[in-house]
Amino acid sequence: AQSVTQLDSQVPVFEEAPVELRCNYSSSVSVYLFWYVQYPNQGLQLLLKYLSGSTLVESINGFEAEFNKSQTSFHLRKPSVHISDTAEYFCAVTQNRDDKIIFGKGTRLHILP
Amino acid sequence: DGGITQSPKYLFRKEGQNVTLSCEQNLNHDAMYWYRQDPGQGLRLIYYSQIVNDFQKGDIAEGYSVSREKKESFPLTVTSAQKNPTAFYLCASSWGQAGQPQHFGDGTRLSIL
């Protein structure tokens, strides 16, 4: 069975500092991987996804994530965070023959002034 | 603008009462999903539907019911059998194929009076 582990429930970081949100998954078959962002009292928005090809994927607002098959990880990084990045971030996985997505429990990113 | 509309944004339920949460999409997506979100628990799948007039139970279907009479609509009823209904409910849709991301509504927050 698939599962997703987000190792940190909360991550505090100073504004303009770099951040890494960790995500590990388990699956016996090939997977697709996603990061979603949720702002307060809103639904989830797709941040970026890995389907195939280059293992480094980027979003339009400066986030990037790297698929590491040997470590079964898909960590999310940003070199310099802004106060507007305050949100909860969810890592998710789906098998390559299934449309159902398994979500991690989320990591709340707190930006400190 | 294409998207998913959930209504109402806030809903209150009395003990022993059934309530229905609305979800409408104009993205022409085939698949629709209902999730329950509790603090620190991530998203848990309640029901999903891959085609009109068909739906399947997710991981926590007890105390909930759904219908899919139209492609655009996937209402969720929280029945009196659901003993702990207080949560944030999210509806999503997708093309229903592996690797396709899900698009989310802005959620309905259900509370017990």
Side-chain angles (χ1 to χ4, degrees):
Chain A
Q2 297 174 90
S3 67
V4 178
T5 302
Q6 291 184 245
L7 296 164
D8 305 298
S9 60
Q10 297 189 61
V11 173
V13 62
F14 287 103
E15 196 169 12
E16 298 184 6
V19 69
E20 179 179 79
L21 306 183
R22 296 179 292 170
C23 172
N24 288 88
Y25 69 92
S26 66
S27 176
S28 58
V29 298
S30 296
V31 296
Y32 299 126
L33 295 155
F34 307 88
W35 275 100
Y36 285 84
V37 58
Q38 185 181 33
Y39 300 103
N41 293 313
Q42 293 186 22
L44 277 66
Q45 301 173 30
L46 180 68
L47 192 59
L48 46 76
K49 62 183 178 182
Y50 171 77
L51 301 181
S52 64
S54 172
T55 57
L56 185 66
V57 290
E58 299 177 351
S59 73
I60 58 172
N61 57 354
F63 283 95
E64 64 179 30
E66 186 161 19
F67 171 57
N68 187 319
K69 188 174 181 179
S70 62
Q71 297 186 9
T72 60
S73 68
F74 191 54
H75 301 332
L76 181 71
R77 296 187 290 261
K78 189 171 185 180
S80 175
V81 296
H82 188 267
I83 195 72
S84 60
D85 294 323
T86 299
E88 190 158 20
Y89 293 80
F90 292 90
C91 182
V93 63
T94 183
Q95 293 181 5
N96 63 1
R97 59 175 184 272
D98 196 351
D99 67 300
K100 291 191 298 299
I101 297 179
I102 307 300
F103 289 88
K105 292 188 176 182
T107 297
R108 196 171 295 275
L109 180 60
H110 295 280
I111 309 300
L112 307 171
Chain B
D1 269 347
I4 299 179
T5 301
Q6 290 188 243
S7 61
K9 193 166 181 64
Y10 299 94
L11 187 58
F12 298 91
R13 194 191 91 168
K14 295 179 180 179
E15 295 285 349
Q17 186 180 48
N18 292 357
V19 291
T20 298
L21 284 60
S22 171
C23 178
E24 303 276 334
Q25 55 101 358
N26 61 4
L27 299 167
N28 202 32
H29 283 165
D30 294 308
M32 297 186 74
Y33 313 82
W34 273 105
Y35 294 92
R36 170 178 172 142
Q37 186 179 17
D38 296 282
Q41 296 290 320
L43 276 68
R44 292 183 289 171
L45 183 64
I46 304 172
Y47 269 98
Y48 65 101
S49 168
Q50 293 173 311
I51 195 170
V52 174
N53 291 323
D54 189 36
F55 48 82
Q56 288 79 41
K57 293 182 179 180
D59 301 317
I60 56 164
E62 186 174 350
Y64 301 97
S65 66
V66 293
S67 63
R68 186 88 186 275
E69 296 177 1
K70 298 186 299 182
K71 187 175 186 179
E72 309 80 45
S73 179
F74 192 42
L76 173 74
T77 296
V78 184
T79 75
S80 57
Q82 173 48 245
K83 297 307 179 188
N84 184 23
T86 296
F88 191 51
Y89 291 88
L90 287 163
C91 179
S93 70
S94 79
W95 292 113
Q97 298 166 5
Q100 292 294 321
Q102 293 179 8
H103 299 255
F104 285 81
D106 279 342
T108 293
R109 190 167 297 281
L110 176 61
S111 302
I112 300 303
L113 290 176

